[in-house]
Amino acid sequence: MSRTSVNPVVAEVTERIARRSAGTRAAYLARVDAALDKGPARGRLACANLAHGFAAAEEPMKAGLRAGRKPNVAIVSSYNDMLSAHQPFRDVPEVLKKSIVRAGGLAQFAGGVPAMCDGITQGRAGMELSLFSRDLIAMSTAVALSHDMFDAAMMLGVCDKIVPGLLIGALSFGHLPTIFVPAGPMTSGLPNGEKARVRQLYAEGKVGREELLDAEAASYHSKGTCTFYGTANSNQMLMEVMGLHLPDATFVNPGTPLRAALDRAAGERAVAITASGGEPTPVGHLVDERAIVNACVALLATGGSTNHTMHLVAMAAAAGITLTWDDLSDLSAAVPLLTRIYPNGSADINHFVAAGGTPFLVHTLLKHGYLHDDVLTVSGRGLWRHTREARLDGDAVVWEEGPKSSLDTDVLRPADDPFAPDGGLRMLSGRLGRAVVKTSAVRPEHRVVTAPAMVFDDQADFLAAFAEGRLDGRDLVAVVRYQGPAANGMPELHKLMPALGVLQDRGQRVAVVTDGRMSGASGKVPAAIHVTPEAALGGPLARVRDGDLVTVDAEAGLLEVDVPDAELEHRPATGRAPHDVEWAGTGRELFSGFRAIVGTAETGASVIRPLPAPTQEAPVVQPV
C-alpha cells in the first residue's frame, strides 16, 4: 500500500498524547524491557517452583517444560456455557494447544476469568457489578500469568468488560507477546429494527410478555456475539485495529471451517512472535500511542460503544499512556462516520462483513490518513496487513487482497463519502459537568433539547412515572442520578430507552442526563451519560431540582442548567447513593471496597491506579 500522510488532527492528537505520557510510558517500557533482558522467567524458578508448574502435565509436555528450550504459551479464557458469546470457546484451548505444539511450542491453560452478560443483568442488581468486573478480570488475568511459566499468552474473550480487562491484565505482563482470539458473532436473526419495534410496543402495553420474549429469542438465537454494534462487537473491532487479532479474524461466525482455521493459525502465530520464534512482539511495545489512537479512530468511524470512552482510557493507562476525553472529542470532530450498524442503522454486524467489513474499513481509513500504518501487529509490522481478507485453502487459512470499494454503501462507506463528516461520539461540558453523548443514532432534529428537568434517583422510579402517565404530554429532560461508579457501580440504564422512545415518537422533546451508562445500545434519544463529577461525589446533578431548565446540546457540546451559579452552588444536595448495607445482595457487598476507591468516569472508572512517572527520589523499580 502506498504511504499516505496522516491526517493533521490525528497526528497532533497522537503527538500530544506522547508528550503528555512521556514519563509514565518510559517507566512502563523500562519495566517491560528489564523483564525482556532477563529472558523467560521460568528459567529462574527454583526446582520446587518449576516442579509444581509441570506436575500435572503429561509427557512429552512435562519433559519439554522441564528442559525449558521450547516457548510455553499461556491460555487465558472467559469460557462459560451460559453466555452465547463465550460458549464457542469451550473446545478452543485444545485446538490452540495442538497448533502450538505443531509449531514447535508448548501450551498450558493458565486460568479462567469471569464473564458476565449485561444483556441478562439489564435493570437488575447484577448490572451494578458489571463495570467493576472489568478490573476484577484484569486482576484475574494477572493471577493466571503470575506463575512466570510463560513466553507468550493467548486471551480468549469477547464481550463488554471482558476484553478490556484481559488487555489491562496482559499489559501488566507487557514483556509477553499476546494474541487475542475472538469467537465471532452469531448468525443474523430477527432484524434489529423489528426487535426495537416490539420492545417499544411492550413499553406502551400494546403487546404482552410472550410476544416480547418471542422477539428477543428470535434475535438472540444461537452461539456467538450479539449481532448489534454494542460494546462486544466494538471490543472486537478495536482489538483488530490495534493489531491484537489476526487479520480479518474478528467477525467470522463460530462453528465454521474458517473460524477453526483462524484459531489454529492464531496458535501457530503465538509461537512465531516469541523470542525463540524469531519475531518477538511484546504486547507492551505493540500497544503504544499510535495503536491507542488507531483504536479511538476505529471506534469513532464506526459509531461504536460509549463504554470505550472509559475502557480506552483504562487500557491506555495500563500501558503508561494518558488518554483524555478531550483527545477523543478532537478526534471525533475530524474522523468521518463510515458505518450504519444497529443501533445506528438497520444492518447488523454480518451485513457489515458482507459489505466489505474490517478489511475495507481499514483500507479506506489508511488511504485517507486517519490511521497510523507504521505500527506493530501480531502479524508483523504494518496495519496494512489488516486490509486483507481471510480465506480457506484446504484446511489452512490464507490472506488475500481485500475489497477496495464497499459492496453496500447503505452499511459501509469510504472515507471520502461518509455518512457524516464527524464521528459518532461527542463530549459535552457545562455547569452540570462533563459527559459523553452518542450522536450516530440520533437524528439531527433531536440533538438539541432544552426542557424542564424531571429528577429521579433510580431508573425504576422513572419507569414507574412513565407507566403512571406522569411523563405524558410534556417536554422533559430526565435526570437520573446516583448511578455513577462510586454510587452503585455505574450500571447501564437501557430500560429507560424504550419509554423515552415512545415519548419522542409522540412528539415530545426528550433527553436523558445521567452519571450512569448506556453503552453501545444507546438509541435515538439524546443521552448525556457518564456525567462527571457524579452526584454521589458532590457533582451538580445532586442539586438539580424538578423544573430546572436543562439543555443537552450535542451540536455545540453543551450540558447546561438555567440556574444562577451562586444559587446552584449553594443549594443543598438532595437524594443519595445507597449505603453499603443497602447495596447488598447478588454479591454486591463483596465489591463495596471498589466503590470506595474507584476513579471517575473520565479517568477510566478504574479501581486500578496507574503508576506515576518516576522521580529522582523514586527510581524505576526493576522486576525481580
Side-chain angles (χ1 to χ4, degrees):
M1 169 176 285
S2 60
R3 292 294 179 108
T4 301
S5 59
V6 177
N7 175 279
V9 175
V10 174
E12 194 280 325
V13 170
T14 307
E15 289 165 6
R16 80 180 184 215
I17 291 171
R19 289 195 303 271
R20 181 193 307 136
S21 309
T24 51
R25 178 65 176 168
Y28 173 79
L29 289 176
R31 294 190 297 273
V32 169
D33 292 341
L36 287 170
D37 288 344
K38 292 179 181 293
R42 74 174 182 281
R44 301 187 301 278
L45 292 178
C47 293
N49 302 78
L50 183 60
H52 277 83
F54 61 65
E58 297 179 358
E59 297 293 359
M61 177 76 174
K62 181 175 289 189
L65 288 168
R66 179 170 180 152
R69 287 189 291 270
K70 294 183 177 181
N72 188 31
V73 180
I75 299 170
V76 180
S77 177
S78 58
Y79 164 74
N80 63 66
D81 67 6
M82 180 186 68
L83 303 183
S84 64
H86 298 91
Q87 189 276 344
F89 287 135
R90 182 186 64 185
D91 300 324
V92 172
E94 290 305 312
V95 172
L96 295 177
K97 287 180 180 181
K98 291 177 181 177
S99 64
I100 289 166
V101 168
R102 283 195 299 270
L106 305 167
Q108 291 179 295
F109 188 89
V113 301
M116 64 182 297
C117 178
D118 291 357
I120 296 173
T121 57
Q122 284 295 332
R124 306 191 62 79
M127 172 55 77
E128 297 176 6
L129 300 182
S130 173
L131 183 58
F132 287 150
S133 77
R134 180 196 67 198
D135 292 355
L136 179 65
I137 290 162
M139 296 171 190
S140 300
T141 302
V143 170
L145 298 178
S146 67
H147 300 95
D148 285 338
M149 289 286 294
F150 309 109
D151 303 85
M154 305 192 76
M155 301 289 156
L156 280 56
V158 177
C159 288
D160 297 69
K161 276 37 95 199
I162 293 92
V163 166
L166 287 168
L167 182 54
I168 292 167
L171 286 167
S172 68
F173 290 78
H175 60 288
L176 295 179
T178 302
I179 293 180
F180 278 67
V181 180
M186 65 179 67
T187 56
S188 301
L190 184 74
N192 286 301
E194 177 64 12
K195 176 186 68 178
R197 185 187 71 84
V198 176
R199 284 180 175 178
Q200 192 157 308
L201 289 173
Y202 180 78
E204 295 178 273
K206 293 180 178 178
V207 300
R209 179 178 169 83
E210 282 302 313
E211 291 89 343
L212 178 63
L213 185 56
D214 284 345
E216 299 288 353
S219 179
Y220 308 114
H221 62 92
S222 68
K223 62 184 178 181
T225 315
C226 305
T227 60
F228 70 93
Y229 197 53
T231 311
N233 284 322
S234 298
N235 275 340
Q236 301 307 299
M237 176 70 73
L238 267 55
M239 290 302 101
E240 173 144 358
V241 178
M242 290 175 77
L244 289 163
H245 283 176
L246 293 185
D248 199 27
T250 301
F251 298 122
V252 176
N253 302 123
T256 61
L258 181 56
R259 175 83 273 156
L262 284 162
D263 291 342
R264 292 192 296 270
E268 295 165 4
R269 191 64 194 162
V271 176
I273 61 176
T274 63
S276 59
E279 300 178 55
T281 310
V283 69
H285 283 279
L286 186 155
V287 180
D288 63 6
E289 297 89 345
R290 290 167 297 179
I292 291 293
V293 169
N294 282 351
C296 295
V297 168
L299 179 76
L300 296 165
T302 56
S305 170
T306 54
N307 276 329
H308 280 293
T309 61
M310 293 181 293
H311 295 332
L312 277 167
V313 171
M315 290 188 288
I321 298 166
T322 303
L323 176 71
T324 71
W325 281 3
D326 289 329
D327 298 327
L328 283 161
S329 184
D330 289 350
L331 288 170
S332 188
V335 173
L337 181 67
L338 304 185
T339 70
R340 289 288 187 201
I341 316 171
Y342 186 84
N344 311 327
S346 59
D348 68 20
I349 200 69
N350 295 307
H351 300 138
F352 165 76
V353 171
T358 308
F360 174 71
L361 179 78
V362 173
H363 161 76
T364 191
L365 288 171
L366 280 173
K367 179 180 178 181
H368 293 277
Y370 292 107
L371 291 173
H372 295 282
D373 182 40
D374 186 23
V375 292
L376 275 176
T377 79
V378 296
S379 300
R381 181 164 288 279
L383 193 62
W384 63 266
R385 298 171 185 277
H386 289 263
T387 66
R388 300 176 300 169
E389 285 187 313
R391 292 284 182 264
L392 277 177
D393 182 7
D395 292 332
V397 62
V398 295
W399 283 271
E400 302 173 351
E401 193 68 19
K404 297 298 179 282
S405 61
S406 172
L407 302 177
D408 186 346
T409 55
D410 290 334
V411 177
L412 176 60
R413 294 270 183 93
D416 57 354
D417 182 27
F419 289 105
D422 54 0
L425 296 175
R426 295 181 186 172
M427 309 303 146
L428 309 178
S429 61
R431 284 182 296 165
L432 290 180
R434 300 252 290 169
V436 174
V437 62
K438 183 172 180 175
T439 58
S440 51
V442 180
R443 291 182 178 178
E445 62 268 27
H446 295 307
R447 292 181 181 175
V448 181
V449 176
T450 298
M454 292 191 71
V455 181
F456 304 91
D457 291 348
D458 189 279
Q459 66 175 334
D461 295 337
F462 171 88
L463 295 173
F466 173 79
E468 294 163 9
R470 289 188 279 126
L471 311 184
D472 294 350
R474 61 167 72 184
D475 295 346
L476 65 101
V477 174
V479 176
V480 185
R481 60 193 188 172
Y482 297 105
Q483 305 299 308
N488 64 349
M490 205 179 191
E492 291 178 357
L493 305 174
H494 287 172
K495 296 284 186 180
L496 301 175
M497 297 311 286
L500 286 164
V502 169
L503 301 178
Q504 186 183 79
D505 288 352
R506 290 174 180 169
Q508 296 170 231
R509 302 284 293 171
V510 294
V512 61
V513 175
T514 180
D515 44 14
R517 295 184 292 131
M518 289 287 188
S519 115
S522 302
K524 62 187 181 182
V525 175
I529 60 177
H530 305 178
V531 174
T532 183
E534 62 174 286
L537 297 180
L541 286 189
R543 299 187 293 278
V544 176
R545 297 175 180 172
D546 285 345
D548 288 344
L549 205 62
V550 173
T551 295
V552 178
D553 187 338
E555 299 290 357
L558 296 176
L559 180 60
E560 286 290 356
V561 59
D562 190 15
V563 176
D565 288 342
E567 179 185 345
L568 184 64
E569 183 178 347
H570 290 98
R571 278 182 181 178
T574 57
R576 62 173 177 80
H579 296 308
D580 278 349
V581 71
E582 298 167 321
W583 200 64
T586 321
R588 289 176 294 173
E589 62 273 17
L590 302 178
F591 289 77
S592 59
F594 280 28
R595 287 206 301 166
I597 63 172
V598 67
T600 66
E602 193 169 3
T603 57
S606 181
V607 303
I608 300 168
R609 293 287 178 265
L611 293 175
T615 64
Q616 288 183 341
E617 293 77 23
V620 174
V621 177
Q622 304 293 348
V624 176

